[in-house]
Structure formats: structure tokens, C-alpha cells
Amino acid sequence: MAQIQAEIQATPLDPVVAPEDSSRRFHLPGWLTLLLRNPKARIGLFVLGTMVVLAIIAPFIANAESATTFNILTTRQAPSWHHLFGTTDQGSDVWAGVVFGARRSLLTGFLAAVLATALAATLGITAAYMGGLVDDVISLITAVVFVIPAIPLLIDITAYIHNRGMLTMILVVGGLLWAFEARILRGQALTLKNRDFVHAAKVSGESNRRIVFGELMPNMISRIAAAFVLVFYIAILVEAGLEFLGLGDSGKSSWGVSLYWATVNSSVLQGEWWSFLFPGLAIGLTVLALTLILAGIDEVSNPRLRGIPKKRTSRSRRSAKA
Amino acid sequence: MRWFLRRLAFYVFAIWLALTITFLIPQLMPGDPIGGLLQHLTPAQIQANPGIIETYEKIFGGKGQSVWAAYWQYLGRAVHLNFGLSTSNYPTPVNEVIARTLPYSIVLVGVSFVFAFILGTTIGMIAAWRRGGTFDTIFVPIFMALGAFPAYFTALLIVYFLGLKLGWFPIQHAYGLDTTPGLNWPFISSAVDHGILPGLVIVLAFAGGWVLNMRTVMINTISEDYVSMAQAKGLKDRRVMTRYAARNAILPPLNGFAPQFATAVGGVIFVELVFSYPGAGYTLQQAALGKDLPLTQALLLVFAICPIIAMFLTDIANLFLDPRIRQS
């Protein structure tokens, strides 16, 4: 009897706990469902997802060696069934270059953006919240990016560096872009800083660190995500740009390096459109996907920007009469 | 007036910051810049110029000199536009190399940038006015896509199709080799001809940003009362769009001109490289590859000062366009 009673008591508990648990584990988080409902963000996430999948399965769909090796038997071939995207002047396979290049380009851009966002969120929000001298010092450092254009600055810095591996690229690109991102996040944190919940936290004796990381940052998570996407695509563009100028590691395969070799070997002037078209398309599509995701985030948070015609009919009817 | 003085203080600060950063980079970088520099000169060149090591030590803060002394010296040299000798164009002084290449970039970027601004804001204006219409759904995605592709990729495509396949315009250099630079008609027409394709790339790459910017601001302006008021008065649709809505929406994009210019100055390096256009950007890339440090240092300073000048011009334009600033 007691056993049955225990079972009765136990059963209502289970269904209550279970769905909560499963919703946390198996359902998409709310922000992602919102984003997926936005057509722009959906296309963007799909294209970006495709690129990431291609990068991950690269060893199964292309030969790593043919991406970088010199092969005199297969130079300057137009796209064919054998070489899907054709071959370069050096005889390396453009398709292999693109899918293996995706690994390096995406990872460098992603990690640079992670580094920049971590620094920007911490320092930008701290500057906005603390004000005074802390704000002045951080704002002075971030003013650098407002004064000196990033690309010439990066070119100047890379001119001094001898080791241009992936880690150096991440540090240099992320180390510069954080300042740009911190300016955005600082401005947004300033609008939050005088809200009631911040005052409440301050009055209840929470430490500054707790207010920045525990109160302000969670409330800015959508802004931080938007800034991250922005910096992610800028990082991809900047990194590919530096490599295109020959200031990267020209021995490795990445999208920018492919474009560098295409110009150095003047493939364009010889009419070999495939050697620059495909790596360039890869960069462009990835950046386009990220801008679409960014536009999606903006539209989800600012309904005014959605492309729904508002009172358009009455206005055009009026103008037709006039 | 107070506003103007505050802006002026900002410019002084910005220029000081640019000078300080260009000074600090060689100091902070690992390795010995002078040793690296001398590797790029032949022993004969070094012997022919006994003072050269001392000259470079002065620029890059050599041994036995405090950072402060080197800093003051650097500021003094910058004021006199004395940046030493370029190692990749040895023995031409750095400022001569810059004086030769910078005008091409300024004219190219300046002209095409104004075109990009006019084109972008006009398209953004119409797209916002007919939001959700055919114009909006066709042009806005096109320009968004063009902005997403790196400028050098657009440049390569244009070189391939318009230059190589159709052969409409020259695709290399800034002027025909049979002309002499100067104020003569063959040179100017040749320079314009050579500038069209790189200019087109810059217009296409940067118009997109203004399309989106103008469209966003304009959408907010359209819902203002004075726009409804103008429509209620029965004014023509086009007049309401240009005189009432767009006129009030143009200020934020115009204020974005200077920061955009800073990005464009960076972007133009790629365009110049693709077209082998002998501007400051192409020179910077060559100098960085050749580790010509005096030249990269001075060019970085030039690239930093250009947007500051653009910001200054924007402020003056604002003074004329925004009565609120004039009154304060």
C-alpha cells in the first residue's frame, strides 16, 4: 500500500521534471527559433552551415596533398569531372584548395572573432559601467582604430613579423578588431547602465565584477552575438586580404592564399578564371551568409526594418491621383 | 564655436595619436629593425653612405638612445616630412616616393568615393520610399551581395570580363607609357581611361554600405509627422521624398562618410594591387613585402592622416547642412 502511494506520489513528479529537462536538451533555444523564422537569417545559417560542413569533411571529399603540391602534368586545366574547379599554374587542385582552405580561413576568422569578442565584451562593458579614469584609458586605446585604418596598420605590423602562422594571424587580427568591437559594445552598455536592475544590484552590494559579468553581460547577449557575427566576417575579410597581399603564410592553403597565387601567377591575365573565381566565391558567400545572419538578428530585434510594406497601398494610391 | 573648438581639439589629438602609434610600432616589434633593413642593401650601398646606419638609428631608436629622445626626434622629423631613405627605392627619400604615388590614390579614391556616396544614398532613398516594392527587393540584395565580396575579388572579376574578355578599358597601370605625366591632354585622357575600371570597383564595393545605411535612416524618417503633413498638403510624391524625407535622412550617412573613408583607404590597397595602379596602397604593399620599414612607417602615417582630413571636411559640410550645429 505504502509502495503504491509512493508510486502515485512519484508519478506526478516525473512528467513535470521530464519535459522541462527535455526542452532544455532537445529543443532549439528561443533565440535560434526566432532567427530561423527570419528568412534572411535562415539562408545565411544554411550557407554558413554548408561551408562549415565542407571544411569538416574536407579529407573525405578532396585530396589534401593535391591542394598545395606542384604537379607539372596537371597545370592550367579548366574545370572538368576530374578536377571539379580546375587546376592552378602549379598544377594543384583548386577544389582541394577551396575545401581545405575553408578549414584555415574559417577557423582563423572564428578564433580571431572569439578573441576580439572576449576582450571587447569585458573591456567595453567595464569601461561603460565604471566610467571615470577606467573609461578614459580604455576609450583612448580603442580610439586607435578610429584614427588609423585597420588594413594599413595590419600591413605595417605584418611587415615586421617573420612568423606568419595561424596563431600570429589570430592574435594580430583579433588583437586589433577587439578595439573596434569594444566601441560598439561600450555604447550599448551605456544605455543599459542606468536601468533599475543595475541600480538594484549595486544597492544590494554586488561587486563591480559581478555586475559587469552577472548583470550587464547576460542582458547584452544578443548585442554581443551581433557584434561577434560582425567581427567574424570582418576577420575573415581582413585575414584573407592580408594573405591576398602576400603577407600571410603562402605555403598553406587558405582562400586568401589561393587568390594571392592566382594574382602572382597572373592567372587572370591568362584567362584562367577558375583559379580566382572559386576561392573568391567561397569568401564572398561566407561573408554574405554572415551579413544575412546579422541582418536577421537586427530585424528580429528591430521590427521596423522588416521588409513588410506598411500603409504602402494608401500612399501609392494617393500619389497616383496626384 | 565651442563645438568647432572641441572638434579641433579632437583633430589635434587624433594626429598626435597617429604619430605616436607610427612611432611605437617599430619600438614594440620583436627583432632588430635596423639589422633587417641593412640586409636589403648591398654592402656597396652601405659603404657609399657612411652615415646611413646612424640615420636609421635615429628613425627607429637605435642603441644608446632613450625612447623619449627618439620620440621627440621622430616628432620633429615628421613635422619636416623627413622620413629617411626608402630601402626598396634606394636612394630615393621616402617623402619623394610618397609625393610621386599619393596623388594617384587621392584622385582615384576621392572621385569614385563621391560617386559611390551619391549612387548609394539615391538607391537607399528610393528603396526605403518604395519599401517592399520591386526596386527594393531587387537592388538592395544586389548591393548587399556586392558589399560582401572583397573588393579585390570584384576587381579580379572586372579585370577578367570588362578588361580581358571585352577589352573596353586598360587593366594595368595609371596611364599609357607613351604619355608624359603632367598637365597635358594625352596624359589626362589616358589617366582617366586607366582610372575607370579601378574606380568602378571602388564604387561597387562601397555603394552598398550607403544603400543600407540610407535605407535604414530613411525608413525611420518616413514615419515622422512632417512627412505625413507634407503628404496631407497634397505635395507631389517625389517632392516629399527628396525635400522632406531624404533631406532629413541624409545626415547620418554623411557622418558615416569619414569612417567609411578610413575603410576605403584600406580597401583601395587591394584594388591598386590588382590593377598594378601606382598609388600609395600599391606602394605600401610592395614596401611591406620588401620590408622597406621607413616607407611603410611614413605611408601608415599618410593613411592615418587621410581619414582625419576627411572627418574635418565632413564637419565643415555638417556646419552648412545642420542648422542645429550652427546655432549651438
Side-chain angles (χ1 to χ4, degrees):
Chain A
M1 201 57 187
Q3 222 175 17
I4 294 166
Q5 243 177 1
E7 263 178 29
I8 291 168
Q9 272 175 349
T11 38
L13 275 177
D14 278 336
V16 175
V17 173
E20 214 178 50
D21 207 9
S22 70
S23 76
R24 224 178 268 152
R25 270 188 200 164
F26 304 113
H27 286 233
L28 292 167
W31 58 269
L32 193 59
T33 4
L34 261 179
L35 258 189
L36 283 174
R37 226 175 275 158
N38 181 288
K40 280 182 189 164
R42 204 162 47 219
I43 300 172
L45 285 169
F46 175 74
V47 174
L48 183 68
T50 312
M51 290 289 175
V52 172
V53 168
L54 281 180
I56 292 170
I57 63 169
F60 302 104
I61 51 175
N63 183 355
E65 272 178 35
S66 66
T68 45
T69 44
F70 177 82
N71 186 348
I72 199 148
L73 296 172
T74 57
T75 54
R76 292 177 193 178
Q77 288 180 9
S80 65
W81 185 238
H82 206 67
H83 294 284
L84 216 50
F85 285 179
T87 58
T88 64
D89 296 61
Q90 311 288 319
S92 55
D93 186 43
V94 177
W95 161 254
V98 169
V99 291
F100 277 95
R103 298 186 141 196
R104 203 173 162 85
S105 295
L106 288 175
L107 197 62
T108 313
F110 179 78
L111 291 178
V114 167
L115 173 71
T117 308
L119 282 170
T122 312
L123 292 171
I125 299 172
T126 309
Y129 173 69
M130 300 287 282
L133 187 67
V134 179
D135 190 20
D136 287 343
V137 171
I138 293 175
S139 294
L140 179 72
I141 301 171
T142 56
V144 171
V145 286
F146 202 64
V147 170
I148 298 198
I151 297 284
L153 182 58
L154 283 171
I155 292 175
D156 196 43
I157 292 172
T158 40
Y160 288 92
I161 297 172
H162 301 289
N163 164 29
R164 290 169 182 161
M166 194 164 144
L167 186 66
T168 321
M169 278 305 215
I170 293 170
L171 289 179
V172 169
V173 175
L176 186 81
L177 289 180
W178 79 266
F180 163 79
E181 200 181 353
R183 286 185 78 87
I184 302 173
L185 291 178
R186 177 184 168 273
Q188 288 165 347
L190 278 176
T191 63
L192 274 182
K193 150 186 184 188
N194 287 320
R195 294 279 183 84
D196 287 341
F197 70 90
V198 180
H199 289 303
K202 210 186 287 183
V203 170
S204 68
E206 286 191 18
S207 68
N208 286 339
R209 209 181 70 185
R210 224 189 119 77
I211 292 176
V212 167
F213 288 100
E215 303 286 346
L216 284 169
M217 219 178 262
N219 276 290
M220 288 180 63
I221 203 77
S222 69
R223 309 284 184 84
I224 296 174
F228 172 79
V229 174
L230 179 70
V231 168
F232 187 10
Y233 86 68
I234 296 177
I236 288 181
L237 277 177
V238 165
E239 190 248 353
L242 286 176
E243 286 171 347
F244 174 70
L245 294 176
L247 296 165
D249 186 348
S250 309
K252 296 273 166 42
S253 58
S254 82
W255 296 336
V257 170
S258 300
L259 286 171
Y260 169 70
W261 286 118
T263 37
V264 165
N265 298 328
S266 51
S267 309
V268 188
L269 301 182
Q270 288 160 15
E272 296 158 28
W273 50 270
W274 54 89
S275 64
F276 71 88
L277 183 75
F278 295 110
L281 273 180
I283 299 174
L285 286 177
T286 310
V287 172
L288 190 60
L290 287 164
T291 32
L292 285 171
I293 295 171
L294 192 63
I297 297 177
D298 279 348
E299 282 180 9
V300 166
S301 53
N302 182 5
R304 261 186 172 179
L305 292 176
R306 278 174 222 170
I308 309 154
K310 195 183 79 179
K311 290 185 195 167
R312 206 41 257 168
T313 44
S314 65
R315 213 172 254 163
S316 45
R317 218 179 297 137
R318 275 188 43 80
S319 62
K321 270 182 206 163
Chain B
M1 197 61 205
R2 245 195 86 202
W3 173 84
F4 198 73
L5 283 178
R6 268 185 56 192
R7 295 301 296 170
L8 215 61
F10 170 76
Y11 294 126
V12 174
F13 166 74
I15 289 173
W16 168 78
L17 198 62
L19 282 168
T20 309
I21 291 161
T22 45
F23 169 77
L24 280 178
I25 290 172
Q27 306 281 332
L28 294 175
M29 286 299 144
D32 168 29
I34 296 161
L37 268 178
L38 297 178
Q39 281 175 8
H40 294 272
L41 296 176
T42 59
Q45 279 176 328
I46 296 173
Q47 267 179 357
N49 239 323
I52 189 162
I53 295 175
E54 286 73 32
T55 318
Y56 284 132
E57 273 181 355
K58 272 184 197 158
I59 300 173
F60 293 102
K63 302 143 217 143
Q65 197 182 21
S66 82
V67 177
W68 282 112
Y71 181 55
W72 284 114
Q73 224 164 25
Y74 173 73
L75 291 184
R77 301 173 76 89
V79 169
H80 293 105
L81 302 177
N82 177 0
F83 295 97
L85 301 178
S86 158
T87 52
S88 56
N89 300 281
Y90 191 82
T92 321
V94 165
N95 50 8
E96 264 177 45
V97 177
I98 292 177
R100 198 174 61 211
T101 54
L102 188 63
Y104 289 105
S105 297
I106 288 180
V107 174
L108 176 67
V109 180
V111 172
S112 37
F113 218 61
V114 171
F115 270 111
F117 182 77
I118 295 170
L119 183 73
T121 46
T122 310
I123 289 175
M125 174 184 77
I126 299 172
W129 194 248
R130 307 229 176 285
R131 181 155 54 127
T134 334
F135 189 89
D136 190 21
T137 41
I138 292 176
F139 278 92
V140 174
I142 287 179
F143 274 92
M144 232 173 113
L146 278 172
F149 285 90
Y152 45 89
F153 181 61
T154 322
L156 287 170
L157 283 179
I158 282 181
V159 165
Y160 183 75
F161 285 108
L162 296 186
L164 203 70
K165 286 283 145 186
L166 297 171
W168 287 353
F169 298 103
I171 48 177
Q172 299 267 293
H173 310 300
Y175 51 87
L177 293 172
D178 48 345
T179 59
T180 41
L183 279 176
N184 55 71
W185 177 242
F187 168 72
I188 292 172
S189 73
S190 170
V192 169
D193 211 26
H194 281 77
I196 285 177
L197 287 188
L200 181 66
V201 173
I202 298 174
V203 170
L204 290 179
F206 289 97
W210 276 313
V211 171
L212 291 183
N213 194 341
M214 182 67 179
R215 183 176 174 272
T216 311
V217 182
M218 184 85 172
I219 284 171
N220 286 324
T221 320
I222 285 174
S223 53
E224 294 282 350
D225 288 339
Y226 53 78
V227 175
S228 314
M229 171 70 186
Q231 279 175 329
K233 279 200 292 188
L235 293 177
K236 276 186 183 159
D237 209 39
R238 172 193 288 244
R239 195 178 154 84
V240 181
M241 173 173 81
T242 52
R243 293 297 178 84
Y244 288 76
R247 204 174 172 188
N248 285 289
I250 197 82
L251 280 177
L254 194 69
N255 283 323
F257 197 90
Q260 276 275 337
F261 189 75
T263 347
V265 157
V268 78
I269 297 173
F270 303 114
V271 180
E272 287 183 356
L273 175 66
V274 172
F275 289 96
S276 306
Y277 198 84
Y282 183 57
T283 314
L284 178 63
Q285 187 256 355
Q286 297 290 319
L289 275 186
K291 298 211 180 283
D292 182 349
L293 302 181
L295 189 54
T296 53
Q297 187 185 31
L299 278 169
L300 181 62
L301 192 61
V302 167
F303 279 111
I305 303 274
C306 284
I308 298 175
I309 295 172
M311 263 187 264
F312 178 64
L313 295 178
T314 321
D315 273 349
I316 291 176
N318 254 326
L319 212 55
F320 281 105
L321 290 170
D322 195 343
R324 284 168 298 189
I325 293 176
R326 249 175 301 165
Q327 276 155 15
S328 70

